[in-house]
Amino acid sequence: MSIPIERLPERARMAWLRLRDQLLGILGDDLVAIWAYGGTASAPEGAQFGDLDTFVVVRRPIDEATAHTIEREQAIVADEIGVEWDTWYVIGADARVATAPRHAFRDRLSESWAIDRAPWLAGRYVLLHGAEPTSIVPTPSTDEIAVALRSEVDHLERHVAAGDTDPYEATSATLNGSRIVRAVETGDVAISKREAGAWAIEHLEPRWHPTVEAARRAYEDQASAADTELLADEMAPFVAMVRERLSGETEVASGL
């Protein structure tokens, strides 16, 4: 059972429905499916929300002119309603296999493919148009999830190495890191950043609670200057803890 469209925050719902209508007009029968997902789709009533995570399945490759039209219409909706998009367009044949698909009209590869699919298949999405995820995307294997989690930690470590400790990156590192640790301990990756933060307060050592609480406030756009400073200072140690948890689990699984 997917998330009912009526549960979406009003402004997000307006934006997603506008985009759906625009894409139907642009792509017609080549539009196979649109799924809204992520933290905004599962946000509680009245909560702050971020990017509108959107996955679009199309029947065939999208030419340059059509891609330009799509991006122009997305920008218009974003400006008029006051939202930000995080959209992925994938050809249907590519969405049906485990191999990470390429974007239908940008030179990008979906590095989070295994982790994205798990929440969809668990019903953590809103069906905006067309086919359900269960009829298109394959179930990710345990090995695929493990590879994807390692890739996510690699990504966090690259930001640490580059000194990217601004509030957005530090908050993302803390909440995504919490989600990774939960996945290591439970085997479940179908959880939002907001939920991962709540889990971390219940299950991580008290040493990490102030950092996670600061990240939770930052995610809701309620961070103080002290929160921002703490997140920047603790980003590297927190990511190192996440790597240690993930590496320890890998060693246990391999019998080392």
Side-chain angles (χ1 to χ4, degrees), residues 205-226:
E205 296 83 352
R207 181 259 186 270
W208 302 113
H209 291 183
T211 305
V212 176
E213 290 288 18
R216 295 175 75 188
R217 287 189 291 271
Y219 191 73
E220 304 296 349
D221 199 23
Q222 298 172 358
S224 66

Side-chain angles (χ1 to χ4, degrees), residues 110-122:
S110 177
E111 297 179 354
S112 60
W113 183 228
I115 292 176
D116 286 341
R117 281 145 52 202
W120 300 338
L121 296 172

Side-chain angles (χ1 to χ4, degrees), residues 83-104:
V83 297
E84 294 185 13
W85 295 109
D86 186 354
T87 55
W88 264 89
Y89 291 77
V90 171
I91 299 168
D94 294 338
R96 295 180 186 279
V97 298
T99 306
R102 289 202 169 275
H103 195 284

